[in-house]
Amino acid sequence: MEETSFRLERLLFPSIADVAVLSVNVNHEAIRIEARGTATEAGCPSCGSQSSRLHSSYLRFPADVASAGRRMVLCLWVRRFFCRNAGCGRRTFVE
Ligand SMILES: [Zn+2]
């Protein structure tokens, strides 16, 4: 399963280095894949400061496509971090 999971991560999220597939559910109508980032910190897009101080997390649906006649739903948990730079105008940012 670990090897299969690694391949799924590279196939579904080629531009994200640190991602883990949490679950894959298949039924007659849809394939639902849930994943989340695994990096312990992220860089603020405004000032570049790294932060591991978590603000919140939520589900995003970056793609909703068909696969072999079934709907494929990608569910990606994304985290919002606090920017640690007091001089930065951006208080929080999404990984
Ligand atoms: Zn910042």
Side-chain angles (χ1 to χ4, degrees), residues 69-94:
R70 279 187 272 207
R71 199 168 62 116
M72 186 161 73
V73 181
L74 295 179
C75 312
L76 181 62
W77 283 100
V78 293
R79 296 167 293 177
R80 178 172 290 279
F81 292 92
F82 287 102
C83 180
R84 303 179 81 147
N85 180 357
C88 179
R90 187 183 296 256
R91 297 182 51 132
T92 66
F93 60 91
V94 174

Side-chain angles (χ1 to χ4, degrees), residues 9-65:
E9 290 151 3
R10 297 275 36 104
L11 176 69
L12 298 170
F13 306 100
S15 62
I16 303 174
D18 300 312
V19 65
V21 172
L22 302 175
S23 65
V24 178
N25 293 304
V26 180
N27 64 35
H28 297 298
E29 297 172 358
I31 301 167
R32 178 187 161 101
I33 299 169
E34 189 172 336
R36 69 173 177 82
T38 59
T40 56
E41 59 183 18
C44 172
S46 293
C47 70
S49 295
Q50 293 291 309
S51 176
S52 60
R53 190 169 163 227
L54 188 64
H55 175 275
S56 58
S57 63
Y58 58 94
L59 270 177
R60 266 193 185 166
F61 300 90
D64 193 2
V65 297

